[in-house]
Coordinates of all heavy atoms in Angstrom, one line a residue:
M1 N 14.7 -25.6 18.7 CA 13.8 -26.2 19.6 C 12.8 -27.1 18.8 O 12.0 -26.6 18.1 CB 13.0 -25.1 20.4 CG 11.9 -25.5 21.2 SD 11.1 -24.0 21.9 CE 10.6 -24.7 23.4
P2 N 12.9 -28.4 19.0 CA 12.0 -29.3 18.3 C 10.5 -29.1 18.8 O 10.3 -28.9 20.0 CB 12.5 -30.7 18.6 CG 13.4 -30.5 19.7 CD 13.8 -29.1 19.8
V3 N 9.6 -29.1 17.9 CA 8.2 -28.9 18.2 C 7.4 -30.2 17.9 O 7.5 -30.7 16.8 CB 7.6 -27.7 17.4 CG1 6.2 -27.5 17.7 CG2 8.4 -26.5 17.7
A4 N 6.7 -30.7 18.9 CA 5.9 -31.9 18.6 C 4.6 -31.5 18.0 O 4.0 -30.5 18.2 CB 5.6 -32.5 20.0
V5 N 4.2 -32.4 17.1 CA 2.9 -32.1 16.4 C 1.8 -32.2 17.4 O 1.7 -33.2 18.2 CB 2.7 -33.1 15.2 CG1 1.4 -33.0 14.6 CG2 3.8 -33.0 14.2
G6 N 0.9 -31.3 17.3 CA -0.2 -31.3 18.3 C 0.1 -30.7 19.6 O -0.7 -30.7 20.5
A7 N 1.3 -30.1 19.7 CA 1.6 -29.5 21.0 C 0.8 -28.2 21.1 O 0.4 -27.6 20.1 CB 3.1 -29.2 21.0
Q8 N 0.7 -27.8 22.4 CA 0.0 -26.5 22.6 C 0.8 -25.4 22.1 O 2.0 -25.2 22.6 CB -0.4 -26.4 24.1 CG -1.3 -25.3 24.4 CD -1.7 -25.3 25.8 OE1 -1.2 -26.0 26.6 NE2 -2.7 -24.4 26.2
T9 N 0.3 -24.6 21.2 CA 1.1 -23.5 20.6 C 1.0 -22.2 21.2 O 1.6 -21.2 20.7 CB 0.8 -23.5 19.1 OG1 -0.6 -23.1 19.0 CG2 1.0 -24.7 18.3
N10 N 0.2 -22.0 22.2 CA 0.1 -20.7 22.8 C 1.0 -20.5 24.0 O 0.9 -19.6 24.8 CB -1.3 -20.3 23.2 CG -1.9 -21.4 24.1 OD1 -1.2 -22.3 24.5 ND2 -3.2 -21.2 24.5
T11 N 2.0 -21.3 24.1 CA 2.9 -21.2 25.3 C 4.0 -20.2 24.9 O 4.3 -20.0 23.8 CB 3.6 -22.6 25.6 OG1 4.3 -23.0 24.4 CG2 2.6 -23.6 26.1
P12 N 4.5 -19.5 25.9 CA 5.5 -18.4 25.6 C 6.8 -18.9 24.9 O 7.5 -18.1 24.4 CB 5.8 -17.8 27.0 CG 4.8 -18.4 27.9 CD 4.2 -19.6 27.3
G13 N 7.1 -20.2 25.0 CA 8.4 -20.6 24.4 C 8.4 -20.7 22.9 O 9.5 -20.8 22.3
Y14 N 7.3 -20.6 22.2 CA 7.2 -20.6 20.8 C 7.3 -19.2 20.2 O 6.6 -18.3 20.7 CB 5.9 -21.3 20.3 CG 5.8 -22.8 20.7 CD1 5.1 -23.2 21.8 CD2 6.5 -23.7 20.0 CE1 5.0 -24.5 22.1 CE2 6.5 -25.0 20.3 CZ 5.7 -25.4 21.3 OH 5.7 -26.8 21.6
S15 N 7.9 -19.1 19.0 CA 7.9 -17.9 18.3 C 6.6 -17.7 17.6 O 5.8 -18.6 17.4 CB 9.1 -17.8 17.3 OG 8.9 -18.7 16.2
F16 N 6.4 -16.5 17.0 CA 5.2 -16.2 16.3 C 5.1 -17.1 15.1 O 4.0 -17.6 14.8 CB 5.2 -14.7 15.8 CG 4.1 -14.4 14.9 CD1 2.8 -14.2 15.3 CD2 4.4 -14.2 13.5 CE1 1.8 -13.9 14.5 CE2 3.4 -13.9 12.7 CZ 2.1 -13.8 13.1
W17 N 6.2 -17.3 14.3 CA 6.1 -18.2 13.1 C 5.9 -19.6 13.5 O 5.3 -20.3 12.7 CB 7.4 -18.0 12.3 CG 7.6 -16.6 11.8 CD1 8.4 -15.6 12.2 CD2 6.7 -16.0 10.8 NE1 8.2 -14.5 11.5 CE2 7.2 -14.7 10.6 CE3 5.6 -16.4 10.1 CZ2 6.5 -13.8 9.7 CZ3 5.0 -15.6 9.2 CH2 5.5 -14.2 9.0
Q18 N 6.5 -20.1 14.6 CA 6.2 -21.5 15.0 C 4.7 -21.7 15.3 O 4.1 -22.6 14.9 CB 7.1 -21.9 16.1 CG 8.5 -22.1 15.8 CD 9.3 -22.4 17.0 OE1 9.0 -21.9 18.1 NE2 10.4 -23.1 16.9
R19 N 4.2 -20.7 16.0 CA 2.7 -20.8 16.4 C 1.9 -20.7 15.1 O 0.9 -21.4 15.0 CB 2.3 -19.6 17.3 CG 2.9 -19.8 18.7 CD 2.3 -18.8 19.7 NE 2.2 -17.5 19.2 CZ 3.0 -16.5 19.6 NH1 3.9 -16.7 20.5 NH2 2.9 -15.3 19.1
L20 N 2.2 -19.8 14.2 CA 1.5 -19.7 13.0 C 1.5 -20.9 12.1 O 0.6 -21.4 11.5 CB 2.0 -18.5 12.2 CG 1.1 -18.0 11.0 CD1 -0.2 -17.5 11.5 CD2 1.8 -16.9 10.3
R21 N 2.7 -21.6 12.1 CA 2.9 -22.8 11.3 C 2.2 -24.0 11.9 O 1.6 -24.8 11.2 CB 4.4 -23.1 11.2 CG 4.7 -24.3 10.3 CD 6.2 -24.4 10.1 NE 7.0 -24.4 11.3 CZ 7.4 -25.4 12.0 NH1 7.1 -26.6 11.5 NH2 8.1 -25.3 13.0
L22 N 2.1 -24.1 13.2 CA 1.5 -25.3 13.8 C 0.0 -25.1 14.2 O -0.6 -26.1 14.5 CB 2.3 -25.6 15.1 CG 3.7 -26.0 14.9 CD1 4.4 -26.2 16.2 CD2 3.7 -27.3 14.0
D23 N -0.5 -23.9 14.2 CA -1.9 -23.7 14.6 C -2.8 -24.3 13.5 O -2.7 -23.9 12.3 CB -2.1 -22.2 14.8 CG -3.5 -21.9 15.4 OD1 -4.2 -22.9 15.8 OD2 -3.8 -20.7 15.5
N24 N -3.7 -25.1 13.9 CA -4.6 -25.8 12.9 C -5.6 -24.8 12.4 O -6.2 -25.1 11.3 CB -5.4 -27.0 13.6 CG -4.4 -28.1 13.9 OD1 -3.4 -28.2 13.2 ND2 -4.8 -28.9 14.9
N25 N -5.9 -23.7 13.0 CA -6.8 -22.7 12.4 C -6.3 -22.0 11.2 O -7.0 -21.4 10.5 CB -7.2 -21.7 13.5 CG -8.0 -22.3 14.7 OD1 -8.7 -23.3 14.5 ND2 -7.8 -21.8 15.8
W26 N -5.0 -22.0 11.0 CA -4.4 -21.3 9.9 C -4.1 -22.3 8.7 O -3.7 -21.8 7.6 CB -3.0 -20.7 10.3 CG -3.2 -19.4 11.1 CD1 -3.4 -19.3 12.4 CD2 -3.3 -18.1 10.5 NE1 -3.6 -18.0 12.7 CE2 -3.5 -17.2 11.6 CE3 -3.1 -17.6 9.2 CZ2 -3.5 -15.9 11.3 CZ3 -3.2 -16.3 9.0 CH2 -3.4 -15.4 10.1
I27 N -4.4 -23.6 8.8 CA -4.1 -24.5 7.8 C -4.8 -24.2 6.5 O -4.3 -24.3 5.4 CB -4.3 -26.0 8.2 CG1 -3.7 -26.9 7.2 CG2 -5.8 -26.3 8.4 CD1 -2.2 -27.0 7.4
S28 N -6.1 -23.8 6.6 CA -6.9 -23.4 5.4 C -6.3 -22.2 4.7 O -6.3 -22.1 3.5 CB -8.3 -23.2 5.7 OG -8.5 -22.2 6.7
F29 N -5.8 -21.3 5.5 CA -5.2 -20.1 4.9 C -3.9 -20.4 4.1 O -3.7 -20.0 2.9 CB -4.7 -19.1 6.0 CG -3.9 -17.9 5.5 CD1 -4.5 -16.9 4.8 CD2 -2.5 -17.9 5.7 CE1 -3.7 -15.8 4.4 CE2 -1.8 -16.9 5.3 CZ -2.3 -15.8 4.6
W30 N -3.1 -21.4 4.6 CA -1.9 -21.7 3.9 C -2.2 -22.5 2.6 O -1.5 -22.4 1.6 CB -1.0 -22.6 4.8 CG -0.4 -21.7 5.9 CD1 -0.6 -22.0 7.2 CD2 0.4 -20.6 5.7 NE1 0.1 -21.0 7.9 CE2 0.7 -20.1 7.1 CE3 0.9 -19.9 4.7 CZ2 1.5 -19.0 7.3 CZ3 1.7 -18.7 4.9 CH2 2.0 -18.3 6.2
F31 N -3.3 -23.2 2.5 CA -3.7 -23.9 1.3 C -4.3 -22.9 0.3 O -4.3 -23.2 -0.9 CB -4.7 -25.0 1.6 CG -4.1 -26.3 2.0 CD1 -4.1 -26.7 3.4 CD2 -3.4 -27.1 1.1 CE1 -3.5 -27.9 3.8 CE2 -2.8 -28.3 1.5 CZ -2.9 -28.6 2.9
M32 N -4.9 -21.8 0.8 CA -5.5 -20.8 -0.2 C -4.4 -19.8 -0.7 O -4.7 -19.2 -1.8 CB -6.6 -20.0 0.6 CG -7.8 -20.9 0.8 SD -9.2 -19.9 1.4 CE -8.6 -19.4 3.0
V33 N -3.3 -19.7 -0.1 CA -2.3 -18.8 -0.6 C -1.9 -19.1 -2.1 O -1.9 -18.2 -2.9 CB -1.1 -18.7 0.3 CG1 0.1 -18.0 -0.3 CG2 -1.5 -18.0 1.6
P34 N -1.5 -20.3 -2.4 CA -1.1 -20.6 -3.8 C -2.3 -20.4 -4.8 O -2.1 -19.9 -5.9 CB -0.7 -22.0 -3.8 CG -0.4 -22.4 -2.5 CD -1.3 -21.5 -1.6
A35 N -3.5 -20.7 -4.4 CA -4.6 -20.5 -5.3 C -4.9 -19.0 -5.5 O -5.2 -18.6 -6.6 CB -5.9 -21.2 -4.7
G36 N -4.8 -18.2 -4.4 CA -5.0 -16.8 -4.5 C -3.9 -16.1 -5.4 O -4.2 -15.3 -6.2
A37 N -2.7 -16.6 -5.3 CA -1.6 -16.1 -6.1 C -1.8 -16.4 -7.5 O -1.6 -15.6 -8.4 CB -0.3 -16.6 -5.6
F38 N -2.3 -17.6 -7.8 CA -2.6 -18.0 -9.2 C -3.7 -17.1 -9.8 O -3.6 -16.6 -10.9 CB -3.0 -19.5 -9.2 CG -3.5 -19.9 -10.6 CD1 -2.5 -20.3 -11.6 CD2 -4.8 -20.0 -11.0 CE1 -2.9 -20.7 -12.8 CE2 -5.2 -20.4 -12.2 CZ -4.2 -20.8 -13.1
L39 N -4.8 -16.9 -9.0 CA -5.9 -16.0 -9.5 C -5.4 -14.6 -9.8 O -5.8 -14.0 -10.8 CB -7.0 -16.1 -8.5 CG -7.8 -17.4 -8.4 CD1 -8.8 -17.3 -7.2 CD2 -8.5 -17.7 -9.7
I40 N -4.7 -14.1 -8.9 CA -4.2 -12.7 -9.1 C -3.3 -12.6 -10.3 O -3.4 -11.7 -11.1 CB -3.5 -12.2 -7.8 CG1 -4.6 -12.0 -6.7 CG2 -2.8 -10.9 -8.1 CD1 -4.0 -11.7 -5.4
L41 N -2.3 -13.5 -10.4 CA -1.3 -13.4 -11.4 C -1.9 -13.7 -12.8 O -1.6 -12.9 -13.7 CB -0.2 -14.5 -11.2 CG 1.0 -14.5 -12.1 CD1 1.7 -13.1 -12.0 CD2 1.9 -15.6 -11.8
F42 N -2.8 -14.7 -13.0 CA -3.2 -15.0 -14.3 C -4.6 -14.6 -14.7 O -5.0 -14.6 -15.9 CB -3.1 -16.6 -14.5 CG -1.7 -17.1 -14.5 CD1 -1.3 -17.8 -13.4 CD2 -0.9 -16.8 -15.5 CE1 0.0 -18.3 -13.4 CE2 0.4 -17.3 -15.5 CZ 0.9 -18.0 -14.5
L43 N -5.4 -14.1 -13.7 CA -6.7 -13.7 -14.0 C -7.0 -12.2 -13.8 O -7.4 -11.5 -14.7 CB -7.8 -14.5 -13.3 CG -7.8 -16.0 -13.6 CD1 -8.8 -16.7 -12.7 CD2 -8.2 -16.2 -15.0
A44 N -6.7 -11.7 -12.6 CA -6.9 -10.3 -12.2 C -5.9 -9.4 -12.9 O -6.3 -8.3 -13.3 CB -6.9 -10.2 -10.7
Y45 N -4.6 -9.7 -12.9 CA -3.6 -8.8 -13.4 C -3.9 -8.4 -14.8 O -3.8 -7.2 -15.2 CB -2.2 -9.4 -13.2 CG -1.2 -8.6 -13.9 CD1 -0.8 -7.3 -13.4 CD2 -0.6 -9.0 -15.0 CE1 0.1 -6.5 -14.1 CE2 0.4 -8.3 -15.7 CZ 0.8 -7.0 -15.2 OH 1.7 -6.3 -15.8
P46 N -4.2 -9.4 -15.8 CA -4.4 -8.9 -17.2 C -5.6 -8.0 -17.4 O -5.7 -7.3 -18.4 CB -4.6 -10.3 -17.9 CG -3.9 -11.3 -17.1 CD -4.1 -10.8 -15.7
L47 N -6.6 -8.0 -16.4 CA -7.8 -7.2 -16.6 C -7.5 -5.8 -16.4 O -8.2 -4.9 -16.9 CB -8.9 -7.7 -15.6 CG -9.5 -9.1 -15.9 CD1 -10.5 -9.4 -14.9 CD2 -10.1 -9.1 -17.3
G48 N -6.5 -5.4 -15.6 CA -6.2 -4.0 -15.3 C -5.8 -3.2 -16.5 O -6.4 -2.2 -16.8
P49 N -4.8 -3.6 -17.3 CA -4.5 -2.9 -18.6 C -5.7 -2.8 -19.6 O -5.8 -1.8 -20.3 CB -3.3 -3.6 -19.2 CG -2.7 -4.4 -18.0 CD -3.9 -4.7 -17.1
R50 N -6.5 -3.8 -19.6 CA -7.6 -3.8 -20.5 C -8.6 -2.7 -20.1 O -9.3 -2.1 -20.9 CB -8.3 -5.2 -20.6 CG -7.5 -6.3 -21.1 CD -6.9 -6.0 -22.5 NE -7.8 -5.4 -23.4 CZ -7.4 -4.8 -24.5 NH1 -6.1 -4.5 -24.7 NH2 -8.2 -4.3 -25.3
R51 N -8.8 -2.5 -18.8 CA -9.8 -1.5 -18.3 C -9.2 -0.1 -18.7 O -10.0 0.8 -19.0 CB -9.9 -1.6 -16.8 CG -10.6 -2.8 -16.3 CD -12.0 -3.0 -16.7 NE -12.3 -3.6 -18.0 CZ -12.2 -4.9 -18.4 NH1 -12.0 -5.8 -17.5 NH2 -12.5 -5.2 -19.6
L52 N -7.9 0.1 -18.7 CA -7.3 1.4 -19.1 C -7.5 1.6 -20.6 O -7.6 2.7 -21.0 CB -5.9 1.4 -18.7 CG -5.6 1.4 -17.1 CD1 -4.1 1.4 -16.9 CD2 -6.2 2.7 -16.5
D53 N -7.4 0.5 -21.3 CA -7.5 0.7 -22.8 C -8.9 1.1 -23.2 O -9.1 1.7 -24.3 CB -7.2 -0.6 -23.5 CG -5.7 -0.9 -23.5 OD1 -5.0 0.0 -23.3 OD2 -5.3 -2.1 -23.8
E54 N -9.9 0.8 -22.4 CA -11.3 1.2 -22.7 C -11.5 2.7 -22.8 O -12.5 3.1 -23.4 CB -12.3 0.5 -21.7 CG -12.3 -1.0 -21.8 CD -13.2 -1.6 -20.8 OE1 -13.7 -0.9 -19.9 OE2 -13.3 -2.8 -20.8
F55 N -10.7 3.4 -22.2 CA -10.8 4.9 -22.1 C -10.0 5.6 -23.2 O -9.8 6.8 -23.1 CB -10.4 5.4 -20.7 CG -11.3 4.9 -19.6 CD1 -10.9 3.9 -18.8 CD2 -12.6 5.4 -19.5 CE1 -11.7 3.5 -17.8 CE2 -13.4 4.9 -18.5 CZ -13.0 4.0 -17.7
H56 N -9.5 4.8 -24.2 CA -8.6 5.4 -25.2 C -9.2 4.9 -26.6 O -9.8 3.9 -26.7 CB -7.2 5.0 -25.1 CG -6.5 5.5 -23.9 ND1 -6.7 5.0 -22.7 CD2 -5.6 6.5 -23.8 CE1 -5.9 5.7 -21.8 NE2 -5.3 6.6 -22.5
R57 N -9.0 5.8 -27.6 CA -9.3 5.4 -29.0 C -7.9 5.1 -29.6 O -7.0 5.9 -29.7 CB -9.9 6.6 -29.7 CG -10.2 6.2 -31.2 CD -10.9 7.3 -31.9 NE -12.3 7.4 -31.4 CZ -12.9 8.5 -31.1 NH1 -12.2 9.7 -31.2 NH2 -14.1 8.5 -30.6
R58 N -7.7 3.9 -30.0 CA -6.5 3.4 -30.5 C -6.6 2.8 -31.9 O -7.6 2.2 -32.2 CB -5.9 2.3 -29.6 CG -5.6 2.8 -28.2 CD -4.9 1.7 -27.4 NE -4.9 2.0 -26.0 CZ -3.8 2.5 -25.4 NH1 -2.7 2.7 -26.1 NH2 -3.8 2.8 -24.1
A59 N -5.6 3.0 -32.7 CA -5.4 2.4 -34.0 C -4.2 1.5 -33.9 O -3.3 1.8 -33.2 CB -5.3 3.4 -35.1
K60 N -4.2 0.5 -34.8 CA -3.0 -0.4 -34.7 C -1.7 0.3 -35.0 O -1.6 1.0 -36.0 CB -3.3 -1.5 -35.7 CG -2.6 -2.8 -35.4 CD -3.0 -3.9 -36.4 CE -3.0 -5.2 -35.7 NZ -3.4 -6.3 -36.5
G61 N -0.8 0.2 -34.2 CA 0.6 0.7 -34.3 C 0.6 2.2 -34.0 O 1.7 2.8 -34.2
R62 N -0.4 2.8 -33.4 CA -0.4 4.2 -33.0 C -0.7 4.3 -31.6 O -1.4 3.5 -31.0 CB -1.3 5.0 -33.9 CG -0.9 5.1 -35.3 CD -1.8 6.1 -36.0 NE -2.3 5.5 -37.2 CZ -3.4 5.8 -37.7 NH1 -4.2 6.7 -37.3 NH2 -3.8 5.2 -38.8
D63 N -0.3 5.4 -31.0 CA -0.6 5.7 -29.6 C -2.1 6.1 -29.6 O -2.7 6.7 -30.5 CB 0.2 6.9 -29.0 CG 1.6 6.4 -28.8 OD1 1.8 5.2 -28.6 OD2 2.5 7.3 -28.7
G64 N -2.7 5.9 -28.4 CA -4.1 6.1 -28.3 C -4.4 7.6 -27.8 O -3.5 8.3 -27.3
V65 N -5.6 8.0 -28.0 CA -6.1 9.3 -27.6 C -7.1 9.1 -26.5 O -8.0 8.3 -26.7 CB -6.7 10.1 -28.7 CG1 -7.2 11.4 -28.3 CG2 -5.8 10.3 -29.9
F66 N -6.9 9.8 -25.4 CA -7.8 9.6 -24.2 C -9.2 10.2 -24.6 O -9.3 11.4 -25.0 CB -7.2 10.3 -23.0 CG -8.1 10.1 -21.8 CD1 -8.1 8.9 -21.1 CD2 -8.9 11.1 -21.4 CE1 -9.0 8.8 -20.0 CE2 -9.7 11.0 -20.3 CZ -9.7 9.8 -19.5
I67 N -10.2 9.4 -24.5 CA -11.6 9.9 -24.8 C -12.5 9.7 -23.6 O -13.7 9.9 -23.8 CB -12.1 9.2 -26.1 CG1 -12.2 7.7 -25.9 CG2 -11.4 9.6 -27.3 CD1 -12.9 7.0 -27.0
G68 N -12.0 9.2 -22.5 CA -12.9 9.0 -21.3 C -13.9 8.0 -21.5 O -13.7 6.8 -21.9
F69 N -15.2 8.3 -21.3 CA -16.3 7.4 -21.4 C -16.9 7.4 -22.8 O -18.0 6.9 -23.0 CB -17.4 7.8 -20.4 CG -17.1 7.4 -19.0 CD1 -16.6 8.4 -18.1 CD2 -17.2 6.1 -18.5 CE1 -16.3 8.0 -16.8 CE2 -16.8 5.8 -17.3 CZ -16.4 6.7 -16.4
G70 N -16.2 7.9 -23.8 CA -16.7 8.0 -25.2 C -17.0 6.6 -25.7 O -18.0 6.4 -26.5
N71 N -16.1 5.6 -25.4 CA -16.4 4.3 -26.0 C -17.7 3.7 -25.4 O -18.5 3.0 -26.1 CB -15.3 3.3 -25.7 CG -14.1 3.6 -26.5 OD1 -14.2 4.0 -27.7 ND2 -12.9 3.4 -26.0
Y72 N -18.0 4.0 -24.1 CA -19.2 3.5 -23.5 C -20.4 4.2 -24.0 O -21.5 3.6 -24.2 CB -19.1 3.7 -22.0 CG -18.1 2.8 -21.3 CD1 -16.9 3.3 -20.8 CD2 -18.3 1.4 -21.2 CE1 -16.0 2.5 -20.2 CE2 -17.4 0.6 -20.5 CZ -16.3 1.1 -20.1 OH -15.3 0.3 -19.5
L73 N -20.3 5.5 -24.3 CA -21.4 6.3 -24.8 C -21.7 5.8 -26.2 O -22.9 5.7 -26.6 CB -21.1 7.7 -24.8 CG -21.0 8.4 -23.4 CD1 -20.5 9.8 -23.5 CD2 -22.3 8.3 -22.6
W74 N -20.7 5.5 -27.0 CA -20.9 5.0 -28.4 C -21.6 3.7 -28.3 O -22.5 3.4 -29.1 CB -19.5 4.9 -29.1 CG -19.6 4.2 -30.4 CD1 -20.0 4.7 -31.6 CD2 -19.3 2.9 -30.6 NE1 -20.0 3.8 -32.5 CE2 -19.5 2.6 -32.0 CE3 -18.9 1.8 -29.9 CZ2 -19.3 1.4 -32.6 CZ3 -18.7 0.6 -30.4 CH2 -18.9 0.4 -31.8
L75 N -21.2 2.8 -27.4 CA -21.8 1.5 -27.3 C -23.3 1.6 -26.8 O -24.1 0.9 -27.3 CB -21.0 0.6 -26.3 CG -21.5 -0.8 -26.2 CD1 -21.3 -1.5 -27.5 CD2 -20.7 -1.5 -25.1
W76 N -23.6 2.6 -26.0 CA -24.9 2.7 -25.5 C -25.9 3.2 -26.6 O -27.0 2.8 -26.6 CB -24.9 3.8 -24.3 CG -26.2 4.0 -23.7 CD1 -27.1 5.0 -24.0 CD2 -26.9 3.1 -22.8 NE1 -28.2 4.8 -23.3 CE2 -28.2 3.7 -22.5 CE3 -26.6 1.9 -22.2 CZ2 -29.1 3.1 -21.7 CZ3 -27.5 1.4 -21.3 CH2 -28.7 1.9 -21.0
D77 N -25.3 4.0 -27.5 CA -26.2 4.5 -28.6 C -26.3 3.6 -29.8 O -27.0 3.8 -30.7 CB -25.7 5.9 -29.1 CG -26.0 7.0 -28.1 OD1 -26.9 6.8 -27.3 OD2 -25.2 8.0 -28.1
D78 N -25.4 2.5 -29.8 CA -25.4 1.6 -31.0 C -26.6 0.7 -30.9 O -26.7 -0.1 -29.9 CB -24.1 0.8 -30.9 CG -23.9 0.1 -32.2 OD1 -24.6 0.3 -33.2 OD2 -22.9 -0.7 -32.2
V79 N -27.4 0.7 -31.8 CA -28.6 -0.2 -31.9 C -28.2 -1.6 -32.0 O -28.9 -2.5 -31.4 CB -29.5 0.3 -33.0 CG1 -30.8 -0.7 -33.1 CG2 -30.0 1.7 -32.8
R80 N -27.2 -1.9 -32.8 CA -26.8 -3.3 -33.0 C -26.3 -3.9 -31.7 O -26.3 -5.2 -31.7 CB -25.7 -3.3 -34.1 CG -26.2 -2.9 -35.4 CD -25.0 -2.7 -36.4 NE -24.2 -1.7 -35.8 CZ -23.1 -1.2 -36.5 NH1 -22.7 -1.7 -37.6 NH2 -22.3 -0.3 -36.0
A81 N -25.8 -3.2 -30.8 CA -25.3 -3.7 -29.5 C -26.4 -4.1 -28.6 O -26.2 -4.9 -27.6 CB -24.3 -2.8 -28.9
G82 N -27.6 -3.7 -28.9 CA -28.7 -4.0 -28.0 C -28.9 -3.1 -26.8 O -29.7 -3.4 -26.0
C83 N -28.1 -2.1 -26.7 CA -28.3 -1.1 -25.6 C -29.1 0.0 -26.1 O -28.6 1.1 -26.5 CB -26.9 -0.6 -25.2 SG -25.8 -1.9 -24.6
F84 N -30.4 -0.1 -26.1 CA -31.3 0.9 -26.6 C -31.4 2.0 -25.6 O -31.7 1.7 -24.4 CB -32.7 0.3 -26.9 CG -32.6 -0.8 -27.9 CD1 -32.8 -2.1 -27.5 CD2 -32.3 -0.6 -29.2 CE1 -32.7 -3.2 -28.4 CE2 -32.2 -1.6 -30.1 CZ -32.5 -2.9 -29.7
P85 N -31.1 3.2 -26.0 CA -31.2 4.3 -25.1 C -32.7 4.6 -24.6 O -33.6 4.5 -25.4 CB -30.6 5.5 -25.8 CG -30.8 5.1 -27.3 CD -30.7 3.6 -27.3
I86 N -32.8 5.0 -23.4 CA -34.1 5.4 -22.9 C -34.3 7.0 -23.2 O -33.6 7.8 -22.6 CB -34.2 5.2 -21.4 CG1 -34.0 3.7 -21.2 CG2 -35.5 5.6 -20.9 CD1 -33.9 3.3 -19.7
R87 N -35.2 7.3 -24.1 CA -35.4 8.7 -24.4 C -36.8 9.1 -24.3 O -37.7 8.4 -24.4 CB -34.9 8.9 -25.8 CG -33.4 8.8 -25.9 CD -32.9 9.1 -27.3 NE -31.5 8.7 -27.3 CZ -30.7 8.9 -28.2 NH1 -31.1 9.5 -29.3 NH2 -29.5 8.5 -28.2

């Protein structure tokens, strides 16, 4: 069924995908999909494994030992890091 540009898309003859494709309210969504995919793939995905690494003590070439918040506590007590503890 050929669809004219600018045709009314809420008529019963159109399928869901035809209405979604032709509805002008969805055009911004379709332009944001590639940008969102790029952000998730190249920015957000690499951060996940790094957050898990923060909870382990690792040496090069060896498996890590889970230490929980030990790295954060060590950083909090380190004067050189500028995180002066409130005591």
Side-chain angles (χ1 to χ4, degrees):
M1 169 181 211
V3 178
V5 175
Q8 191 173 6
T9 58
N10 57 1
T11 57
Y14 292 103
S15 71
F16 172 75
W17 293 110
Q18 286 175 331
R19 288 192 314 255
L20 192 62
R21 184 172 50 96
L22 294 175
D23 189 6
N24 289 335
N25 295 328
W26 281 87
I27 193 78
S28 59
F29 171 76
W30 292 119
F31 278 105
M32 287 189 294
V33 166
F38 177 82
L39 289 173
I40 290 171
L41 184 64
F42 291 108
L43 296 176
Y45 172 70
L47 292 177
R50 297 308 312 159
R51 296 294 82 82
L52 293 176
D53 286 344
E54 292 174 359
F55 296 107
H56 292 80
R57 179 177 291 134
R58 297 182 190 260
K60 202 173 216 182
R62 290 189 233 154
D63 289 335
V65 177
F66 181 77
I67 59 171
F69 287 100
N71 286 330
Y72 291 106
L73 295 173
W74 172 80
L75 185 63
W76 182 260
D77 288 334
D78 190 10
V79 176
R80 294 171 298 184
C83 301
F84 301 108
I86 300 171
R87 293 184 190 185

